[in-house]
Amino acid sequence: MDGSNLEGKRFALPGDFEAEYNVVFVAFRREQQADVDSWLPFLREQKLAERGIRLYELPTLNRSYRLMRGFIDGGMARGIPEKATREATITLYIDKSPFKKALAISSEDRIITLIVARDGRVVWRTDGRFAPGAGAELAGALDALKVREAP
């Protein structure tokens, strides 16, 4: 699937993810940004960059919104002061049905948090706002990846 980050760089995902493993948030509605943000303090504690893991946000809209891409992406970019966050926010204007089917997403009412390998494998997932139990599961999954990458 193709998208562009808020700095204008094109991506063909999952192959263009910049790390072998990536924590990815899929959000469907503007108000879900608060749910994404609820994970960020925990993820900072996980020191993803030191582990070689990248973080991405994928705002996901129907293909019909492509005509308003400049307005939508421009508004999001103006609301995000940090360049690194704009670079890691890749807006998808797609036919959502096959996307949701491929990722077994049954509802757009909650964000989806994934660990995705560059080859497209989903190695961990949860939905919704941060909760301590989900955080512990994510930390365990990240630790397991570290073990697999060791020589």
Side-chain angles (χ1 to χ4, degrees):
M1 103 202 80
D2 295 331
S4 295
N5 71 10
L6 296 181
E7 289 289 307
K9 180 180 177 185
R10 302 272 310 145
F11 286 81
L13 301 176
D16 285 347
F17 280 137
E18 294 173 353
E20 184 61 31
Y21 293 102
N22 306 274
V23 174
V24 176
F25 294 109
V26 178
F28 297 98
R29 297 184 177 99
R30 182 179 185 183
E31 61 270 15
Q32 290 174 330
Q33 185 62 47
D35 295 345
V36 171
D37 292 345
S38 74
W39 280 90
L40 299 180
F42 172 79
L43 290 173
R44 278 192 284 278
E45 293 173 9
Q46 297 303 305
K47 302 182 182 193
L48 298 179
E50 292 174 19
R51 295 175 181 228
I53 297 169
R54 292 272 296 155
L55 175 67
Y56 291 95
E57 295 183 34
L58 304 181
T60 305
L61 296 103
N62 273 320
R63 183 181 311 275
S64 60
Y65 286 99
R66 277 186 166 170
L67 296 174
M68 299 186 329
R69 172 183 280 173
F71 177 76
I72 294 169
D73 286 358
M76 282 193 285
R78 282 188 296 281
I80 301 172
E82 303 85 18
K83 182 177 181 182
T85 302
R86 292 191 305 270
E87 290 174 338
T89 302
I90 304 168
T91 310
L92 303 178
Y93 295 91
I94 59 172
D95 180 355
K96 291 194 289 184
S97 293
F99 174 76
K100 292 185 332 186
K101 184 176 181 180
L103 291 174
I105 297 172
S106 60
S107 172
E108 295 183 16
D109 293 336
R110 297 166 59 101
I111 66 167
I112 308 299
T113 305
L114 309 162
I115 299 175
V116 180
R118 189 182 295 131
D119 66 10
R121 287 177 297 117
V122 174
V123 298
W124 182 85
R125 72 177 293 136
T126 193
D127 62 9
R129 296 179 60 82
F130 174 79
E137 288 178 20
L138 175 60
L142 293 171
D143 289 344
L145 293 175
K146 188 72 168 170
V147 170
R148 273 188 242 141
E149 292 175 0

